[in-house]
Amino acid sequence: MEHYGTSGSVDKNKAMVEYLQQYGIIRSKKVAEVMEAIDRGLFVPGGSPPYVDSPMQIGYNATISAPHMHATCLELLKEHLQPGMHALDVGSGTGYLTACFAMMVGPQGRAVGVEHIPELVTSSIENIKKSAVASLLNEGSLSVHVADGRLGWPDLAPYDAIHVGAAAPEIPQPLIEQLKPGGRMVIPVGTVFQDLKVVDKKLDGSVKIRSETSVRYVPLTSRAAQLHNY
Ligand code: SAH
């Protein structure tokens, strides 16, 4: 009777997506479909309510971003997450957005997560294995790596889409370099006061930066600083 259930995680995830649509945060069918397909409940550690629109602690002084921030970033990046494209998720944490990116770029594309806490990389891979994109992990179009995301992931550059899930004091130059002409990066920038910046690299290689909204993310920093609570 699983498919008739009214209180299952799939239904709750769908209700979360509908709430984000009602409030105009999810505006496209594409983003609604991917957030419906990737059950957020698989990525939030036990004990935290996964479908509440709030960030949640994931250990190691890190958080999974709130659903409305994930939706906002997916809306901003959706044209750069088409089948066959390359996407980089810096500070991939739980792996939730990396999984969404993988679903959007599909088996012909590449979705890469980079996270500097090895335990989070291990648990994110476990989360992804339970999700709708498990097969992409096996096929190799989705991967997650332990590395300092401030250096990007040169092996699969250039990227059509780069998402940074932690706030940088300034935009790391390697990330700008690894953005494809025509590509877009979404990155929170600042320390106490932060702005979500949208960085568009034009076809001539010039870069245009605008601020989308004020945000509050954990810092993009060294592993030592993060583990010592900054
Ligand atoms: N987007 C993820 C996690 C957001 S929290 C999610 O929603 O689940 C930010 C993440 O960035 C944390 O997991 C933190 O460990 C990671 N991080 C911070 N600085 C980093 C760096 N220099 N390199 C790689 N990851 C980093």
Side-chain angles (χ1 to χ4, degrees):
M1 295 296 279
E2 184 61 41
H3 52 298
Y4 290 126
T6 51
S7 59
S9 66
V10 171
D11 295 318
K12 288 182 186 160
N13 191 65
K14 196 170 179 359
M16 178 194 81
V17 171
E18 282 165 4
Y19 161 89
L20 293 168
Q21 286 175 303
Q22 269 164 28
Y23 283 87
I25 296 160
I26 297 179
R27 297 185 303 275
S28 64
K29 199 167 164 245
K30 207 167 167 179
V31 171
E33 279 173 358
V34 72
M35 288 186 72
E36 269 185 33
I38 305 294
D39 182 358
R40 189 179 166 85
L42 299 173
F43 293 83
V44 176
S48 297
Y51 308 105
V52 172
D53 192 19
S54 167
M56 299 289 166
Q57 302 294 328
I58 58 171
Y60 312 94
N61 296 317
T63 53
I64 179 169
S65 301
H68 74 268
M69 281 316 308
H70 284 151
T72 298
C73 292
L74 287 168
E75 284 289 350
L76 287 169
L77 288 169
K78 64 177 186 272
E79 301 307 332
H80 307 272
L81 291 166
Q82 292 181 38
M85 288 185 167
H86 282 207
L88 173 65
D89 186 20
V90 172
S92 49
T94 60
Y96 175 81
L97 267 187
T98 322
C100 292
F101 292 171
M103 174 154 267
M104 292 169 92
V105 301
Q108 308 306 325
R110 285 298 315 236
V112 188
V114 175
E115 164 60 54
H116 67 170
I117 305 288
E119 292 87 344
L120 287 177
V121 170
T122 304
S123 56
S124 69
I125 291 171
E126 291 308 314
N127 299 338
I128 291 166
K129 280 184 185 162
K130 292 179 210 144
S131 79
V133 288
S135 61
L136 299 180
L137 193 63
N138 299 332
E139 288 162 19
S141 65
L142 163 54
S143 58
V144 188
H145 308 270
V146 183
D148 186 342
R150 293 172 292 190
L151 304 175
W153 190 256
D155 297 16
L156 291 165
Y159 297 98
D160 301 278
I162 299 180
H163 168 264
V164 183
E170 53 194 45
I171 303 173
Q173 193 57 33
L175 297 183
I176 294 181
E177 284 163 14
Q178 289 172 33
L179 195 59
K180 191 185 272 185
R184 172 174 279 190
M185 167 162 51
V186 173
I187 175 169
V189 180
T191 48
V192 180
F193 298 101
Q194 303 167 4
D195 278 327
L196 190 68
K197 302 272 189 193
V198 177
V199 181
D200 285 312
K201 189 181 269 189
K202 296 192 192 154
L203 291 175
D204 66 6
S206 64
V207 168
K208 197 178 122 245
I209 304 175
R210 67 173 173 86
S211 291
E212 174 73 12
T213 181
S214 297
V215 289
R216 189 108 179 90
Y217 279 72
V218 301
L220 186 72
T221 185
S222 69
R223 188 189 302 158
Q226 183 174 325
L227 295 176
H228 291 93
N229 214 357
Y230 312 112

